[in-house]
Amino acid sequence: MKIVIIGGVAAGAKAASKIKRLLPDSSVQIYTDDTHVSYSSCGIPYYVEGNFEDYQSLLVRSVEEFKALGIDVYLQSKVIKILVPQNQVLVCTGDSAHLVDYDKLIIATGARPLLPKIDGIEKFNNVFTVRKIEDAINIRSKMLSSKRAVIVGSGYIGMEMLEAFAKNGLHVTVLEKNENIMSMFDSDISKLIMNRLVQYDSENYEFLTGEVVSEFVGEDSVMVVKTLSGKEIQADIVVICTGVVPNIEIANDAGITIGSTGAIKVNKLMQTSVENIYACGDCAEKRHIVSGKNVWIPLGSTANKEGRCAAMNAAGVFEQFEGVLGSAVSRCLNTTMAMTGLTEKQALLAGFSPISVIIDKSDRVGYMPNVGEITLKVVADKITGMLLGAQAIGSIGADKRINALTPALLSHMTVDEYSNNDLTYSPPYSPTIDPLINAMLALRSKLSK
Amino acid sequence: MKIVIIGGVAAGAKAASKIKRLLPDSSVQIYTDDTHVSYSSCGIPYYVEGNFEDYQSLLVRSVEEFKALGIDVYLQSKVIKILVPQNQVLVCTGDSAHLVDYDKLIIATGARPLLPKIDGIEKFNNVFTVRKIEDAINIRSKMLSSKRAVIVGSGYIGMEMLEAFAKNGLHVTVLEKNENIMSMFDSDISKLIMNRLVQYDSENYEFLTGEVVSEFVGEDSVMVVKTLSGKEIQADIVVICTGVVPNIEIANDAGITIGSTGAIKVNKLMQTSVENIYACGDCAEKRHIVSGKNVWIPLGSTANKEGRCAAMNAAGVFEQFEGVLGSAVSRCLNTTMAMTGLTEKQALLAGFSPISVIIDKSDRVGYMPNVGEITLKVVADKITGMLLGAQAIGSIGADKRINALTPALLSHMTVDEYSNNDLTYSPPYSPTIDPLINAMLALRSKLSK
């Protein structure tokens, strides 16, 4: 059995090692146009920040380590075509191209940064995206000689880069085209995130929302970032964090069905519309467990699970991946931001009748040292009482509450049922009544009206 | 409507304020033989440790504050008899006794320390239990002039007192009659807790297991603690943490049914066997949601929920308390110890066919600063695949994993179902694959054999 995997960051790397364990006699080959394989893209902001010195810590498994497992990795080898009828891929390495046979093909091409349309954006030597190992090295190197940074976009990665730059003493301007930063959260929560961060340190960074970049001014390097509203911001380094798009072009060219979200359509076995071809990770569409709808939420933790599932089915072991909750967490300086399930806005779009509560509570008993505050928003459906999702920001205890909701979303639990939940209590870990239970009681009361 | 509540620490105080909110015109009276009302018993070790200076921080609500809410609190007023036929209680205050009428009676008498049978144990002025506000004040005062402490018993409170004394520079000897400390955990986990704590600091404290106290030597103060095996340990202060027993005597005398666990039997409405009499908190029996069996697990978080439920039903608002999971967390120095559901031993006794896995994992991605280690044991039923419980020890991230299992136990989720759970991921918060998911995958593989 010959298994070819396109892409080797998270899903591809996981699929390769899983399939080799299941079918030790199979031939497993990873082709990637990247210069590295199996690395932690999510760790780049922490490398830039200086949490560890060697970028090689980001590398999970080297080409040699894959080789030792019996897996062949071909770097800088781009698959440019999938020839479905003859079960082959056309691989381009340097100036030459050659055909490779497969019995099973796993597409794990991931996603790539989405660049805003700004003249010459790709030519400047101080404008970066945050995705690959080279990005990590180049950003850190440039940052060390920079004083002023502009971050375009304020999603998870933008906020993590803000922390990295601020901790290294740069002045940072975050430009966000939406009305609020972190706009994957409901706007009430996004506003609180911004307030919290501004209160924490209003001197070393600023958020400019509703601002669209119109021009990068400079020769080889950007010197000034101009916005549509006329603002001009000096910059020694610019990082573009305006999101990613799935790499679906070769799948699309091969006639593989692309879902309505723009990512490759797969079933619960991670099979695409074409026999013997699987897709997993950031290039694949996902099913949202709460709404039952197709979504595209590209995250490393999901990529791992999907890679495993694709590998099992490709190896003939039946396995289903049920879908995602959209659970995510990110840190920016003093603020943990976490969510799971649907926001109120998403719930409305998905056809629910959402109601919600927002509560502010201590993360532990008030007399303990280092008490942190948590703002927790929980969303439920007015008609069924079913829990739909939650967002929490504040101290590090915020993500604990989000994780403690996830199984309830998996099993479509109601607010009533959750309000009986027995969470652990001790003064250093939570108030006697956990903020989650406070939120459930407040929701119950709202539901009963 | 006249509501009388016996006891006012956690369940009683909560019941009083809830009922007053529901029935503003009712008369609500709390009678307690204690010198304080509505306080955080769980906070005592942290007061002794010196996390805060004023013991009054332990007081949640004062008599005056209750008065302002329209609730009358009678301190040092012991209810010595419940006269069921005439709906009255006999209250003893100082030398006088008087009868008080009630329409609804809520018994929230709590629990009291269980003292080992040692000659003269109650007469020594340096032997303490950890329950009441006086205990907090007396222990802290005595500790400040002490160099050597003996703690008898190594449950949650014993371990918290170890932290408190060790942080104040005392040498501490913990005596435990069982083979392992923290014996509510499975023995494999208990052993790991002890190893971890001994490695952390082997000079300033020691654990002597399998040791039963035989004698306290001294006049007014204990000077030496002798054990059955012949050990003699010098002590300036002795703390007894050998567990608690429910205060059920007046209920029993009144003919109220006591359950097989020794605590007051209640239904899901917190009703006792006698009409118009409710019980809640540490004096009441609980139902374990995983096993469906009656248990007695006295915890402050449960007391709060039960107090609320009893108050609602007493006020005529239908409400059910489904039961407990036995979730608990405690900290001792560098070690978080948390559990939920059934241990493997409990699962066997409850009639399940338990299997389990133990895994050791980092609490975040390995390249991040301050990586902690977590040991996680998850128990499931071999026949149904149902999750039964988990125990986690290690860094502060341990309790996050335990809480993230609790809703799964509420809904009797299987290992298969949980292995799809979408937990939040980001390098400062968890590894790409959360330890919980690692444990589920290991359990799945064990279940499929």
Side-chain angles (χ1 to χ4, degrees):
Chain A
M1 171 101 98
K2 287 195 68 171
I3 294 115
V4 168
I5 299 170
I6 315 178
V9 179
K14 181 75 189 178
S17 41
K18 183 73 189 172
I19 217 162
K20 193 70 192 179
R21 268 205 301 281
L22 292 170
L23 303 175
D25 298 332
S26 63
S27 146
V28 181
Q29 302 180 318
I30 296 176
Y31 292 92
T32 171
D33 57 355
D34 207 335
T35 52
H36 291 83
V37 70
S38 189
Y39 57 86
S40 170
S41 205
C42 312
I44 295 175
Y46 307 99
Y47 167 70
V48 173
E49 181 169 329
N51 279 310
F52 46 97
E53 283 304 310
D54 189 349
Y55 78 86
Q56 298 204 42
S57 297
L58 294 169
L59 308 179
V60 180
R61 193 170 270 167
S62 67
V63 172
E64 292 68 33
E65 286 167 315
F66 276 110
K67 188 83 199 162
L69 297 173
I71 297 164
D72 296 315
V73 179
Y74 301 93
L75 299 178
Q76 295 175 286
S77 297
K78 188 174 172 65
V79 173
I80 52 172
K81 201 168 178 56
I82 303 167
L83 299 111
V84 171
Q86 58 259 51
N87 281 11
Q88 287 180 319
V89 292
L90 182 61
V91 180
C92 189
T93 310
D95 290 337
S96 70
H98 64 288
L99 288 166
V100 176
D101 297 327
Y102 65 78
D103 295 310
K104 309 274 182 179
L105 178 67
I106 297 178
I107 304 176
T109 43
R112 64 178 179 276
L114 176 71
L115 291 180
K117 285 183 181 40
I118 300 166
D119 269 355
I121 187 168
E122 305 207 29
K123 79 166 197 219
F124 294 105
N125 61 20
N126 64 341
V127 176
F128 304 96
T129 54
V130 187
R131 189 82 189 169
K132 303 199 169 190
I133 294 296
E134 291 81 359
D135 300 330
I137 297 167
N138 295 335
I139 294 172
R140 181 157 168 83
S141 159
K142 183 68 195 168
M143 176 195 72
L144 294 173
S145 65
S146 294
K147 288 195 173 140
R148 303 187 63 94
V150 168
I151 296 172
V152 185
S154 66
Y156 292 115
I157 298 171
M159 301 298 277
E160 287 160 8
M161 291 308 298
L162 164 59
E163 172 180 305
F165 288 159
K167 289 245 175 129
N168 280 278
L170 278 70
H171 184 277
V172 188
T173 301
V174 178
L175 297 177
E176 169 56 54
K177 73 170 171 10
N178 291 305
E179 194 192 339
N180 294 299
I181 63 165
M182 287 295 277
S183 59
M184 68 287 276
F185 284 78
D186 280 325
S187 60
D188 39 19
I189 300 297
S190 299
K191 285 186 173 65
L192 293 172
I193 293 172
M194 194 167 96
N195 291 345
R196 198 180 146 97
L197 286 168
V198 169
Q199 272 171 32
Y200 180 68
D201 177 358
S202 62
E203 289 196 5
N204 293 312
Y205 50 82
E206 61 182 343
F207 299 100
L208 302 180
T209 58
E211 292 285 355
V212 177
V213 175
S214 58
E215 193 186 343
F216 285 154
V217 183
E219 289 296 319
D220 297 333
S221 300
V222 173
M223 311 281 285
V224 171
V225 178
K226 287 192 180 178
T227 72
L228 274 186
S229 75
K231 292 211 169 56
E232 301 196 358
I233 306 132
Q234 289 192 316
D236 303 316
I237 182 170
V238 177
V239 180
I240 309 288
C241 306
T242 45
V244 290
V245 287
N247 292 320
I248 53 127
E249 289 73 8
I250 50 162
N252 194 32
D253 288 351
I256 293 169
T257 304
I258 306 301
S260 58
T261 66
I264 301 170
K265 197 174 178 62
V266 289
N267 61 15
K268 287 186 181 178
L269 284 64
M270 308 313 295
Q271 293 171 315
T272 68
S273 62
V274 172
E275 216 190 327
N276 295 335
I277 302 186
Y278 301 77
C280 51
D282 288 359
C283 65
E285 194 166 79
K286 293 105 182 50
R287 181 179 160 271
H288 200 293
I289 290 174
V290 177
S291 68
K293 296 195 190 306
N294 292 328
V295 292
W296 185 61
I297 304 174
L299 291 169
S301 46
T302 307
N304 243 286
K305 289 179 195 145
E306 290 183 347
R308 187 177 168 279
C309 179
M312 290 178 77
N313 287 298
V317 181
F318 180 78
E319 174 76 4
Q320 292 194 95
F321 180 65
E322 294 297 329
V324 301
L325 300 171
S327 307
V329 63
S330 179
R331 184 184 72 192
C332 183
L333 299 163
N334 70 333
T335 301
T336 292
M337 305 165 278
M339 68 191 302
T340 187
L342 304 176
T343 61
E344 193 162 8
K345 194 166 65 179
Q346 288 170 336
L348 206 55
L349 290 172
F352 292 100
S353 303
I355 60 163
S356 68
V357 293
I358 296 184
I359 59 159
D360 291 300
K361 293 283 169 188
S362 303
D363 64 352
R364 66 199 73 180
V365 179
Y367 50 66
M368 293 299 291
N370 310 317
V371 175
E373 293 297 317
I374 293 174
T375 299
L376 177 64
K377 176 172 183 171
V378 181
V379 182
D381 181 55
K382 214 180 301 185
I383 296 160
T384 59
M386 190 172 90
L387 284 163
L388 299 177
Q391 299 152 66
I393 62 164
S395 74
I396 194 159
D399 84 302
K400 180 166 88 169
R401 276 70 193 196
I402 293 302
N403 282 298
L405 255 191
T406 54
L409 297 181
L410 283 192
S411 62
H412 305 292
M413 199 175 272
T414 64
V415 172
D416 260 25
E417 289 163 344
Y418 201 99
S419 65
N420 271 308
N421 192 20
D422 191 2
L423 296 159
T424 63
Y425 160 62
S426 174
Y429 298 93
S430 88
T432 320
I433 303 175
D434 193 273
L436 262 176
I437 302 299
N438 287 124
M440 294 301 155
L441 295 178
L443 264 177
R444 275 185 71 177
S445 143
K446 219 164 166 174
L447 278 164
S448 68
K449 273 169 195 158
Chain B
M1 172 104 98
K2 289 194 66 172
I3 295 115
V4 168
I5 300 169
I6 314 177
V9 179
K14 180 76 190 178
S17 41
K18 182 74 188 172
I19 217 162
K20 193 67 190 178
R21 267 205 299 281
L22 292 170
L23 302 176
D25 298 332
S26 62
S27 146
V28 181
Q29 302 180 317
I30 296 176
Y31 292 92
T32 172
D33 57 356
D34 208 334
T35 52
H36 291 82
V37 70
S38 189
Y39 56 84
S40 170
S41 204
C42 313
I44 295 175
Y46 307 99
Y47 167 71
V48 173
E49 182 169 328
N51 280 309
F52 47 97
E53 284 305 310
D54 189 349
Y55 78 85
Q56 298 204 43
S57 297
L58 294 169
L59 308 179
V60 180
R61 194 169 269 169
S62 68
V63 174
E64 293 68 33
E65 286 168 314
F66 276 110
K67 187 81 197 163
L69 295 174
I71 297 163
D72 296 315
V73 179
Y74 301 93
L75 299 177
Q76 295 176 286
S77 298
K78 189 174 172 69
V79 173
I80 53 173
K81 200 165 178 62
I82 301 166
L83 299 112
V84 172
Q86 58 259 52
N87 281 12
Q88 287 180 318
V89 292
L90 181 62
V91 180
C92 191
T93 309
D95 289 338
S96 71
H98 64 288
L99 288 167
V100 176
D101 296 328
Y102 66 80
D103 296 310
K104 310 274 181 177
L105 177 67
I106 298 179
I107 304 176
T109 43
R112 64 179 179 274
L114 176 70
L115 292 180
K117 287 184 179 38
I118 302 165
D119 268 355
I121 186 166
E122 307 209 28
K123 78 165 199 224
F124 294 106
N125 61 19
N126 64 341
V127 176
F128 303 96
T129 55
V130 187
R131 189 82 189 168
K132 301 197 172 193
I133 294 296
E134 291 80 0
D135 301 330
I137 297 166
N138 294 335
I139 294 172
R140 179 153 172 85
S141 159
K142 182 69 194 167
M143 176 194 72
L144 294 173
S145 65
S146 295
K147 288 197 174 141
R148 303 186 63 95
V150 168
I151 296 172
V152 184
S154 66
Y156 292 115
I157 298 171
M159 300 300 275
E160 288 160 6
M161 291 308 297
L162 164 58
E163 171 180 304
F165 288 158
K167 288 245 175 129
N168 280 276
L170 278 71
H171 184 277
V172 188
T173 302
V174 178
L175 297 177
E176 169 56 56
K177 73 171 172 9
N178 292 306
E179 193 191 339
N180 294 300
I181 63 166
M182 287 294 278
S183 59
M184 69 286 275
F185 284 78
D186 279 325
S187 60
D188 39 19
I189 300 296
S190 299
K191 285 187 171 68
L192 293 172
I193 294 172
M194 193 165 98
N195 290 345
R196 196 180 148 97
L197 286 168
V198 169
Q199 273 171 29
Y200 180 68
D201 178 358
S202 61
E203 290 197 2
N204 293 312
Y205 50 83
E206 61 182 343
F207 299 99
L208 302 180
T209 58
E211 292 285 354
V212 177
V213 175
S214 58
E215 193 186 344
F216 286 154
V217 183
E219 290 296 319
D220 297 333
S221 300
V222 172
M223 311 282 284
V224 171
V225 177
K226 287 192 180 178
T227 72
L228 274 186
S229 74
K231 293 212 168 53
E232 301 195 357
I233 305 132
Q234 290 193 316
D236 304 315
I237 183 169
V238 177
V239 180
I240 308 289
C241 307
T242 45
V244 289
V245 288
N247 292 320
I248 53 126
E249 288 73 9
I250 51 162
N252 194 33
D253 287 352
I256 293 169
T257 305
I258 305 301
S260 57
T261 64
I264 302 171
K265 197 172 178 66
V266 288
N267 62 14
K268 288 186 181 178
L269 283 63
M270 308 312 297
Q271 293 172 313
T272 68
S273 61
V274 172
E275 216 189 328
N276 295 336
I277 303 186
Y278 301 78
C280 51
D282 288 359
C283 64
E285 193 167 81
K286 292 105 181 52
R287 179 179 161 271
H288 200 294
I289 290 174
V290 177
S291 68
K293 297 195 189 304
N294 291 328
V295 292
W296 186 61
I297 305 174
L299 290 169
S301 45
T302 306
N304 243 286
K305 289 179 197 146
E306 290 183 346
R308 188 178 168 277
C309 179
M312 290 178 77
N313 287 298
V317 181
F318 180 80
E319 174 76 5
Q320 294 195 94
F321 181 64
E322 294 296 329
V324 301
L325 299 171
S327 306
V329 63
S330 180
R331 185 184 72 193
C332 184
L333 298 162
N334 70 334
T335 301
T336 292
M337 305 166 278
M339 67 192 301
T340 187
L342 304 175
T343 62
E344 192 162 9
K345 194 167 66 180
Q346 288 170 335
L348 207 56
L349 290 172
F352 292 100
S353 302
I355 61 163
S356 68
V357 292
I358 296 183
I359 58 159
D360 291 301
K361 293 283 169 187
S362 303
D363 64 353
R364 66 199 73 180
V365 179
Y367 51 66
M368 293 299 292
N370 310 316
V371 175
E373 294 296 317
I374 294 175
T375 299
L376 177 64
K377 176 172 183 170
V378 181
V379 182
D381 182 55
K382 213 180 303 184
I383 295 159
T384 60
M386 191 173 84
L387 285 163
L388 299 177
Q391 299 154 67
I393 62 163
S395 74
I396 193 159
D399 84 303
K400 179 166 91 171
R401 275 70 192 195
I402 292 302
N403 283 299
L405 255 190
T406 54
L409 298 181
L410 283 192
S411 61
H412 304 295
M413 199 176 270
T414 63
V415 172
D416 260 23
E417 289 163 344
Y418 201 98
S419 67
N420 270 307
N421 192 20
D422 191 3
L423 296 159
T424 64
Y425 159 62
S426 173
Y429 298 92
S430 87
T432 319
I433 303 174
D434 193 272
L436 261 177
I437 302 299
N438 287 126
M440 295 300 153
L441 295 177
L443 264 178
R444 275 185 70 178
S445 141
K446 219 164 165 175
L447 278 164
S448 68
K449 269 168 197 157

